[in-house]
Amino acid sequence: MSDHEVLCLGEAMVLVAPRHGEPLAMARDVTLSVAGAESNVAQYLADLGHRVAWASRVGSDPLGDRVLLAVARPGVDVRHVERDPSAPTAVYFKDPSRENGTRVHYYRQGSAASLLTPAYLDTLPIAPARLVHLSGITAALSAGCARTATALFDRAREAGVLRSFDVNYRPALWSTEDASVPLLALARQADVVFVGLDEAAEVWGTTTAEDVRDLIGPSASVVVKNADVGAVLFESGTDPGTFVPAEPVDVVEPVGAGDAFAAGYLSAWLRNDTPAERLRLGHRVAAFALSSVEDHADATSLRRPAHDPDGTPR
C-alpha cells in the first residue's frame, strides 16, 4: 500500500550531452543523465522531505534501468512504473552553441511513455495522495497521453485530490495551434497552475499576468512566472495577486528551473505556508536548478522538519 503525499505522472528520458560544452557534432565525450519534468518535480519534493511517487512507463532496457535508479535515488517511490518489452525508453540530446544557446533534440516518438493510455491509471493509487502533478509535456506526447492526462485530473477530482498543472509548452513537441486548446483545457481542470508569462504569450496571446488569470478562470490558483523578475500568485479570479521577486543567482543553465520552482511551491503548500512563503520557496529551489547543469540538483539542504498534514511540526 502506498502512503505518498504526491503522485507525479509523466515521461522521464535519458539525456545525452557533450561533456565539455562543445557543439554535439564535434563532441568526443558525452555524459548520460536523467531528465523529465514530472520526475524532476518528484525528486525535488523528495529532497524537501515529502513522500512522493512517480508514475510512468519505460522500456525494458538498460536506459529504463538508469531512469528508475536515478529517480528513486532521492527517495521517490517508482514501484508503479510500468516496463515495456517492446518500446524503448526515450532519449534526448543537448547541442550547446555559443551563437544560438543550447538546443535540444528529442527522440521520444514511439517511446514506452508515449504509449500511455487511461487504462494505466487503473494501476495507480490516486486517492491516498494529497495532490497529483503533471505537465503539458505529457499531453503533447500522443493522443493516448493527452487522454491519460485528462483522465488523471478527472479521477483526482472525484477522489478529492488537488490537481497541479505546469503548462510547460515545448515547441519541439507541438505547434502553438495544436497546443493552445488542450493546454487551456488542462489548466482549467487544475487547482493550481504554473505558467511562464512568455509561454502564455506564445500559446494563448496574453500580455499580462492578469490576462493569464482571467483566461484560466476563477477555479484555479494561478502562478505566473516572469523569468528573473519574479512570480505572482492569484488565488482567485478577483485576487489582485501576491508578488515575490526572484532571487539573484549566477545562471549555469536554465533547464529544470521551472520544475524546481513548482516543487518548492507545492512543498510549501503541503505545509500550509502563506502565499508569499510558497513563492519564496519556489524561487529558492529554482536557484538550485539554475546553478547546475543537471535537471535535478540536490536540494536537501532546504529540507525543513517533518510536518503532519495539517502543517504542524511532528
Side-chain angles (χ1 to χ4, degrees):
M1 180 67 177
S2 296
D3 62 350
H4 52 269
E5 297 175 90
V6 183
L7 175 66
C8 301
L9 182 144
E11 183 169 57
M13 303 164 287
V14 169
L15 165 61
V16 183
R19 182 181 297 275
H20 305 295
E22 69 271 43
L24 190 60
M26 301 171 62
R28 295 177 63 92
D29 299 313
V30 298
T31 61
L32 297 183
S33 58
V34 170
E38 295 87 356
S39 59
N40 287 343
V41 172
Q43 290 175 90
Y44 279 117
L45 282 168
D47 288 344
L48 295 170
H50 299 282
R51 301 183 308 277
V52 190
W54 172 64
S56 189
R57 303 180 82 250
V58 297
S60 297
D61 51 31
L63 297 185
D65 296 339
R66 192 179 189 105
V67 166
L68 292 177
L69 287 170
V71 177
R73 193 171 295 122
V76 177
D77 181 356
V78 298
R79 288 175 294 171
H80 305 290
V81 177
E82 194 170 83
R83 306 298 298 266
D84 191 325
S86 59
T89 303
V91 180
Y92 84 110
F93 292 77
K94 282 186 180 177
D95 184 17
S97 168
R98 290 186 178 87
E99 293 77 24
N100 304 313
T102 299
R103 298 184 63 189
V104 296
H105 301 271
Y106 292 117
Y107 295 86
R108 59 203 307 180
Q109 187 172 2
S111 69
S114 74
L115 302 180
L116 276 169
T117 67
Y120 171 64
L121 302 179
D122 295 338
T123 70
L124 299 184
I126 295 171
R130 294 181 63 194
L131 70 87
V132 298
H133 176 81
L134 59 80
S135 84
I137 293 173
T138 300
L141 297 180
S142 68
C145 284
R147 292 194 300 272
T148 303
T150 299
L152 174 65
F153 276 177
D154 284 340
R155 296 190 187 198
R157 176 182 52 78
E158 292 166 2
V161 176
L162 183 89
R163 295 157 293 174
S164 168
F165 180 63
D166 192 338
V167 172
N168 245 336
Y169 172 62
R170 292 290 184 270
L173 296 177
W174 51 357
S175 67
T176 54
E177 292 78 14
D178 290 336
S180 177
V181 172
L183 290 177
L184 184 57
L186 285 167
R188 287 175 172 171
Q189 272 190 284
D191 298 293
V192 58
V193 179
F194 302 94
V195 62
L197 187 61
D198 55 348
E199 68 180 338
E202 186 173 2
V203 177
W204 297 322
T206 51
T207 57
T208 68
E210 289 76 14
D211 290 340
V212 179
R213 174 200 62 192
D214 294 343
L215 179 68
I216 293 173
S219 61
S221 294
V222 180
V223 180
V224 183
K225 301 169 292 178
N226 189 7
D228 58 354
V229 176
V232 59
L233 164 65
F234 302 102
E235 292 206 277
S236 70
T238 58
D239 183 3
T242 299
F243 174 80
V244 172
E247 295 190 356
V249 60
D250 292 328
V251 178
V252 175
E253 189 169 86
V255 176
D259 307 325
F261 182 96
Y265 178 96
L266 293 172
S267 173
W269 177 86
L270 288 164
R271 296 171 183 270
N272 291 332
D273 285 352
T274 66
E277 289 169 334
R278 289 177 238 159
L279 295 173
R280 199 168 292 120
L281 185 57
H283 286 313
R284 201 167 298 144
V285 183
F288 272 75
L290 290 167
S291 61
S292 171
V293 296
E294 302 291 338
D295 267 38
H296 167 244
D298 186 351
T300 52
S301 62
L302 296 179
R303 181 182 295 190
R304 292 183 288 171
H307 283 59
D308 288 320
D310 64 358
T312 57
R314 291 177 185 168

